[in-house]
Amino acid sequence: MSKEGVTPENLREDPKETIFAKIIAGQIPSKKVYEDDHVFAFHDISPAAPVHILVLPKKPLGGIGEASDDDEQSLGRVMIAASKIAKQEGFADDGYRLVINQGKHGQQSVHYLHVHIIGGKQLSWPPGCQ
């Protein structure tokens, strides 16, 4: 089953032209929870759990499958920011899940690397396998 928005066209879109690039640029409003020089994070508009925050590098990157050694610092900063956000928002102690969707089968609907922080309830295992 594919979620809405997962299309070949979306996955070919230039990351610099995506909705996420426009959110980071302030052209589209969001419920921001964190921002620094390298990372931007906001609440997902279609949450899958009580806590559902997206964490993005400000450096445009289409997905984890397009990452190279040059992206090492940017990716590390996203992961550190996710930990900071969990503490800042008060759900770190209970636990949470970090998810990166890649490509059609991974249900990536926006061609811009983003990490989902999902929590606020007991999550099941394995995730997304049916």
Side-chain angles (χ1 to χ4, degrees):
M1 182 164 108
S2 185
K3 72 178 181 180
E4 188 175 329
V6 178
T7 66
E9 294 78 25
N10 285 3
L11 297 178
R12 285 193 298 268
E13 188 173 17
D14 182 343
K16 296 175 190 154
E17 302 298 323
T18 64
I19 189 170
F20 288 168
K22 293 172 184 172
I23 288 171
I24 291 170
Q27 298 169 346
I28 295 175
S30 68
K31 291 175 61 181
K32 179 171 68 173
V33 295
Y34 180 86
E35 182 175 16
D36 65 24
D37 291 342
H38 307 283
V39 175
F40 190 93
F42 58 96
H43 288 279
D44 193 298
I45 61 168
S46 297
V51 172
H52 192 162
I53 297 169
L54 303 180
V55 186
L56 295 72
K58 287 187 175 179
K59 176 185 175 188
L61 179 62
I64 195 69
E66 297 173 28
S68 69
D69 290 343
D70 293 339
D71 299 306
E72 183 177 355
Q73 280 192 343
S74 182
L75 296 173
R77 287 179 170 129
V78 166
M79 300 305 281
I80 296 300
S83 175
K84 288 179 183 179
I85 292 163
K87 292 171 188 160
Q88 168 191 300
E89 298 297 308
F91 58 87
D93 290 344
D94 289 334
Y96 52 94
R97 182 171 293 155
L98 301 180
V99 176
I100 299 174
N101 299 328
Q102 173 60 44
K104 177 183 171 186
H105 286 184
Q107 298 290 294
Q108 181 182 9
S109 58
V110 179
H111 190 225
Y112 195 114
L113 177 83
H114 54 287
V115 174
H116 298 256
I117 305 175
I118 300 171
K121 69 174 189 174
Q122 180 62 58
L123 301 173
S124 62
W125 190 261
C129 297
Q130 297 181 20

